[in-house]
Amino acid sequence: MSRCKWCGTIHSNTLTIHALVRFELQPDTLCFQCREKLESLNDQLTCRGCSRIQDKTDYCPDCLSWQKTYQGHTHIHEAMYAYNEFASQIIEQFKFTGDCAIAELFVKEVKEYFRKIGQTALIIPIPVSRESYSTRGFNQTELLLAVSGVTYNSVLVNRYQCGRQSGKNRKQRLESPQPFEIDPCHGELIRGKPVVLVDDIYTTGRTIYHALDLILPMEPSSIRSFSLFR
Amino acid sequence: MDLTNLIGRELLLSDLLTEYTESDLSGCTFRPAFHSAKRRAQCNRCGSFSKLTEIYPCICGNNCIYCRYCIQLGKVRACDKLVTYEAADLFSKKPVPYLKWQGSLSEQQEKASKEIVLSIKEFTDRVVWAVTGAGKTEMLFKGISEALEAGKRVCVASPRIDVCLELAPRIQAAFPDIQTALLYGGEESVYIYTQLVIATTHQLLRFKEAFDVLIIDEIDAFPYYQNEGLYYASEKAVKKQSSTIYLTATPDTKLQRKIVKGQIEASILPARYHGYPLPVPKIIREKDIFSMSDISASKACRQILMLISRRQKFLLFIPTIRLMDSILPALRRFFSTTRFESVHAQDPFRKEKVESMRKGELQFLITTTILERGVTFKNIDVIVLAADHDVYTESALVQIAGRAGRSADYPEGKVTFYLEEWTRSSKGAVQQIRQMNRQAAKKGLLL
Ligand SMILES: [Zn+2]
Ligand SMILES: [Zn+2]
Ligand SMILES: [Zn+2]
Ligand SMILES: [Zn+2]
């Protein structure tokens, strides 16, 4: 028996087939009802470039247009769950209400992803503005990684005092200028290394491609990205 | 700086500093936001415990414990302080009666009303156990009125927002000369210091030693483990010498035991205002309909068809949204010529659908437990599918059954529970309803 970290219900949601196969008898962080509301992208047809839900696995029009801009780099972004109504409630509670423990909901998924990525990769979280950082006291992406025991490097820093992507419409997001710069102390780490960029949500891809603009010239051996939601 | 608005409040220092300066608050009392208890950290605002290891990066630059349980009221961090302003209330005695309500009370209401007045006068606690449809609000008026006239500060609270929103206009209409604050999570209006407060029990956490009288309606609205927080909140919000009145249609076992043992005084109202007994659920044993490949042969479907043919309106309760979704297509196919709708908590058209049911435009309404209380329809029957499902607590089933037979025009509304196995909740619910009917009969309150 354990308590659902989202709704507080006492539950015994342990024995999924997956858990049995892997001898994981840790109780789930979510109760059955809440777990069901998360829409996994793994078992659906999604764009191979950005995990968007569609009826085939080919690159979606957005990815094709990014590819045109970034000749020579075909970017692969992987996301775990659809950014549905439930996901937006979770993110709201996590980032804006400041409920840090939400990070613990996804430890299993994050661990699993980075176990496959391997030890050598340089893991770079997307930074938040200084204003968001000081009112919240944390960067949600760093916290997600930290509670999952994933070592990361804060290579990117946010140049801006304030401003955030949520609340902007698609056009405003796509037109937003480069918000990041590379922390000179860490810049040299990138060369020749496989890099994984991490964010909480992937919406238009603008944020990730801004980060790419800075990191690609530093010649990593490969680069991909990961987010919890898409 | 005027600190009147802080009388009886307990707020976070970090929040107050957006409105007041440190020196404004120099006359206040401060305490840490957490204290350690039983090798855990207890939040001083809501009383919940956090593990000492649950620390996270904090605005102070360190890692701090914070409280997840009351976070919707603003984040309580271990490095923050709770602030109270200990000053006496500013309300004086008034010889004129505040109550402008003109209605009359039934015999059993009159008796309960007098008992409430007495409890308030003597600063004792009381449970008012009144069956669904007994008319609870009216019998509070006298007690509230006398408390206000004595210069006491009064709060009427409920765990449910919709109950607060429904109570507020009725109470305001009864006491038109008293300024009332209505506090609930939704649209946060500016707080002002008033003698009469209507609030969700969650909002009580922002008070400390504030009220002489606290009336809590529908204390049974949440399962027990959430009620622990409710008791903490209510104990914190009242003054050392005060009276708390608990209103419920279905007290939990803990409270029932207290009543039986005489640990708390109780007023029991076993009869509805119209004097007809509560409908006792009829139990039909059937394998749960959601696992049937063909529902048309089920007893439940046959009953629904029969009700439709007699044009009897009814509510159909289904345990979860998921089960509702799973059965809707079959019902739509099967009852294609009948007008009905389905509602659940997140339904954006919930209000409209309930309204159209109330107007009689729908033959029936399929619902999850959200309509278990509060909402009343005239002349309806009630059917509960899978009444042995975990979501149904004893009190939820009593409340659901209480939807039927509310009006004097159709007091014999029928309630049917479909279940495969008896559960503690379903058994308890039927027993509770029978017991109230017996009591009402014994007291001669039934027609
Ligand atoms: Zn849950
Ligand atoms: Zn794509
Ligand atoms: Zn708390
Ligand atoms: Zn702190």
Side-chain angles (χ1 to χ4, degrees):
Chain A
M1 297 302 261
S2 84
R3 184 164 283 190
C4 172
K5 283 212 176 244
W6 176 257
C7 70
T9 308
I10 311 275
H11 67 93
S12 51
N13 189 13
T14 318
L15 298 171
T16 62
I17 298 290
H18 280 288
L20 274 179
V21 170
R22 282 193 247 121
F23 296 99
E24 272 173 28
L25 292 177
Q26 283 276 341
D28 195 345
T29 46
L30 290 173
C31 70
F32 187 68
Q33 277 86 359
C34 290
R35 176 60 61 190
E36 252 197 339
K37 286 192 246 169
L38 279 177
E39 191 184 343
S40 173
L41 295 173
N42 276 329
D43 31 77
Q44 320 198 38
L45 284 179
T46 56
C47 165
R48 65 175 70 189
C50 68
S51 299
R52 165 196 287 186
I53 299 172
Q54 53 180 18
D55 51 15
K56 51 188 176 23
T57 59
D58 297 347
Y59 291 110
C60 72
D62 280 6
C63 280
L64 291 173
S65 112
W66 285 117
Q67 282 167 20
K68 225 180 266 167
T69 325
Y70 290 78
Q71 298 284 342
H73 175 69
T74 304
H75 190 71
I76 303 294
H77 177 88
E78 282 167 273
M80 302 294 321
Y81 296 109
Y83 191 55
N84 58 13
E85 176 59 31
F86 184 54
S88 79
Q89 286 171 14
I90 289 177
I91 285 293
E92 166 84 28
Q93 174 87 359
F94 187 24
K95 280 156 79 168
F96 305 119
T97 312
D99 192 0
C100 301
I102 295 287
E104 319 256 356
L105 292 182
F106 303 104
V107 167
K108 227 192 213 165
E109 293 90 327
V110 174
K111 256 192 186 149
E112 179 65 17
Y113 178 84
F114 286 98
R115 191 183 58 78
K116 279 192 228 147
I117 291 292
Q119 295 282 326
T120 54
L122 182 66
I123 294 157
I124 305 178
I126 296 293
V128 296
S129 72
R130 258 170 269 175
E131 187 198 48
S132 300
Y133 193 84
S134 63
T135 50
R136 282 174 214 166
F138 64 95
N139 169 339
Q140 66 280 0
T141 309
E142 291 181 354
L143 193 56
L144 273 173
L145 294 169
V147 300
S148 309
V150 177
T151 315
Y152 58 86
N153 273 283
S154 302
V155 171
L156 292 173
V157 288
N158 196 311
R159 294 153 62 190
Y160 292 107
Q161 229 8 281
C162 50
R164 57 182 206 218
Q165 288 290 316
S166 54
K168 288 184 185 165
N169 65 29
R170 185 181 162 80
K171 187 156 176 291
Q172 287 167 328
R173 277 175 204 237
L174 286 172
E175 285 169 354
S176 62
Q178 173 65 266
F180 311 128
E181 57 196 15
I182 289 189
D183 183 340
C185 322
H186 295 295
E188 264 317 296
L189 291 173
I190 297 170
R191 197 171 312 278
K193 275 267 189 71
V195 166
V196 185
L197 291 165
V198 187
D199 205 352
D200 52 350
I201 316 167
Y202 181 102
T203 313
T204 59
R206 182 65 270 183
T207 308
I208 291 292
Y209 282 91
H210 271 317
L212 283 182
D213 286 338
L214 296 173
I215 290 174
L216 280 174
M218 312 291 285
E219 297 171 357
S221 64
S222 69
I223 184 161
R224 56 204 290 129
S225 55
F226 170 79
S227 69
L228 216 43
F229 297 112
R230 164 69 170 108
Chain B
M1 187 74 184
D2 180 21
L3 298 182
T4 310
N5 272 349
L6 298 186
I7 299 174
R9 300 282 271 172
E10 183 175 56
L11 302 169
L12 284 170
L13 178 60
S14 56
D15 284 347
L16 283 173
L17 288 177
T18 60
E19 233 180 294
Y20 302 86
T21 65
E22 302 243 7
S23 68
D24 289 338
L25 301 173
S26 58
C28 294
T29 309
F30 298 78
R31 62 167 173 161
F34 279 87
H35 72 273
S36 44
K38 300 177 211 158
R39 274 194 246 129
R40 288 182 298 172
Q42 186 174 25
C43 168
N44 281 328
R45 181 166 71 182
C46 75
S48 306
F49 293 93
S50 300
K51 285 191 200 130
L52 294 173
T53 50
E54 289 176 331
I55 51 170
Y56 293 94
C58 181
I59 43 170
C60 67
N62 293 319
N63 287 317
C64 288
I65 291 175
Y66 73 95
C67 181
R68 289 199 75 197
Y69 301 91
C70 61
I71 197 167
Q72 297 309 336
L73 292 173
K75 190 166 169 179
V76 178
R77 300 172 170 92
C79 56
D80 210 337
K81 293 227 157 37
L82 287 165
V83 183
T84 46
Y85 174 52
E86 287 166 10
D89 272 320
L90 305 176
F91 313 109
S92 47
K93 287 185 186 173
K94 293 266 162 51
V96 289
Y98 278 123
L99 183 60
K100 296 288 173 335
W101 180 74
Q102 300 280 331
S104 61
L105 296 173
S106 72
E107 190 190 319
Q108 61 165 0
Q109 282 176 313
E110 186 68 48
K111 184 165 175 279
S113 169
K114 280 190 179 134
E115 288 166 349
I116 291 167
V117 167
L118 200 68
S119 279
I120 290 173
K121 220 175 250 167
E122 294 177 342
F123 298 107
T124 56
D125 297 343
R126 173 170 295 277
V127 176
V128 178
W129 180 357
V131 295
T132 51
K136 280 175 298 178
T137 314
E138 298 79 11
M139 58 199 185
L140 298 171
F141 288 159
K142 194 88 181 108
I144 295 174
S145 187
E146 290 199 8
L148 294 173
E149 287 144 28
K152 292 176 177 175
R153 196 173 187 199
V154 180
C155 177
V156 181
S158 169
R160 292 175 60 104
I161 292 176
D162 41 349
V163 173
C164 292
L165 294 178
E166 200 211 275
L167 280 173
R170 292 168 68 190
I171 292 175
Q172 270 156 6
F175 302 99
D177 305 326
I178 287 279
Q179 196 184 17
T180 317
L182 172 61
L183 310 174
Y184 63 100
E187 300 91 76
E188 207 61 58
S189 56
V190 184
Y191 172 83
I192 34 161
Y193 175 66
T194 56
Q195 192 177 0
L196 183 57
V197 175
I198 299 165
T200 56
T201 46
H202 211 53
Q203 293 289 326
L204 290 178
L205 293 172
R206 287 199 171 126
F207 290 90
K208 186 160 182 274
E209 294 178 28
F211 303 108
D212 303 274
V213 179
L214 174 60
I215 298 164
I216 310 179
D217 197 0
E218 302 250 8
I219 46 167
D220 48 273
F222 286 125
Y224 177 71
Y225 69 90
Q226 285 171 11
N227 268 349
E228 278 177 77
L230 190 155
Y231 289 121
Y232 181 94
S234 59
E235 275 163 34
K236 187 170 82 121
V238 296
K239 290 179 184 167
K240 291 205 177 72
Q241 197 185 39
S242 58
S243 167
T244 304
I245 311 285
Y246 301 95
L247 267 66
T248 173
T250 56
D252 60 31
T253 35
K254 192 182 163 194
L255 198 55
Q256 287 189 37
R257 219 174 296 138
K258 269 181 137 180
I259 296 170
V260 173
K261 286 187 182 162
Q263 288 164 344
I264 188 164
E265 286 183 287
S267 304
I268 300 176
L269 291 86
R272 292 186 152 174
Y273 76 96
H274 55 48
Y276 289 88
L278 297 166
V280 179
K282 182 178 173 197
I283 305 294
I284 297 183
R285 301 283 287 264
E286 183 168 68
K287 184 174 139 235
D288 89 86
I289 188 168
F290 307 104
S291 55
M292 290 181 191
S293 50
D294 178 18
I295 60 164
S296 63
S298 67
K299 295 177 194 165
C301 266
R302 268 181 280 150
Q303 187 191 5
I304 293 171
L305 273 178
M306 193 264 291
L307 290 175
I308 292 172
S309 71
R310 286 187 9 223
R311 297 183 189 282
Q312 172 59 46
K313 305 273 193 298
F314 62 96
L315 293 175
L316 182 66
F317 284 85
I318 289 181
T320 65
I321 298 179
R322 198 169 59 93
L323 290 175
M324 187 153 106
D325 289 342
S326 75
I327 201 174
L328 263 180
L331 292 177
R332 291 227 183 275
R333 241 180 293 125
F334 203 59
F335 304 111
S336 57
T337 54
T338 307
R339 278 204 68 186
F340 67 94
E341 285 290 354
S342 65
V343 288
H344 54 81
Q346 281 98 47
D347 192 332
F349 300 107
R350 176 176 155 185
K351 254 196 183 148
E352 288 81 355
K353 290 175 179 173
V354 168
E355 204 40 49
S356 96
M357 179 70 188
R358 194 171 275 146
K359 282 191 203 140
E361 295 164 359
L362 301 176
Q363 173 62 42
F364 64 100
L365 188 60
I366 307 175
T367 172
T368 55
T369 52
I370 51 150
L371 295 186
E372 84 187 30
R373 56 184 85 220
V375 188
T376 38
F377 302 98
K378 282 185 171 176
N379 314 341
I380 54 155
D381 282 2
V382 169
I383 297 174
V384 183
L385 296 182
D388 46 1
H389 193 281
D390 292 347
V391 303
Y392 295 121
T393 58
E394 177 177 326
S395 93
L397 288 173
V398 171
Q399 288 282 359
I400 286 171
R403 297 306 102 203
R406 292 297 277 262
S407 78
D409 313 333
Y410 184 55
E412 65 275 13
K414 286 177 193 56
V415 180
T416 315
F417 289 176
Y418 284 87
L419 47 82
E420 201 173 346
E421 298 287 346
W422 278 104
T423 55
R424 193 191 291 194
S425 300
S426 50
K427 217 179 241 168
V430 175
Q431 272 168 6
Q432 212 185 103
I433 292 166
R434 286 224 169 93
Q435 185 197 341
M436 287 312 245
N437 282 343
R438 266 200 304 274
Q439 277 208 37
K442 211 161 51 185
K443 289 187 177 174
L445 296 167
L446 298 183
L447 290 177

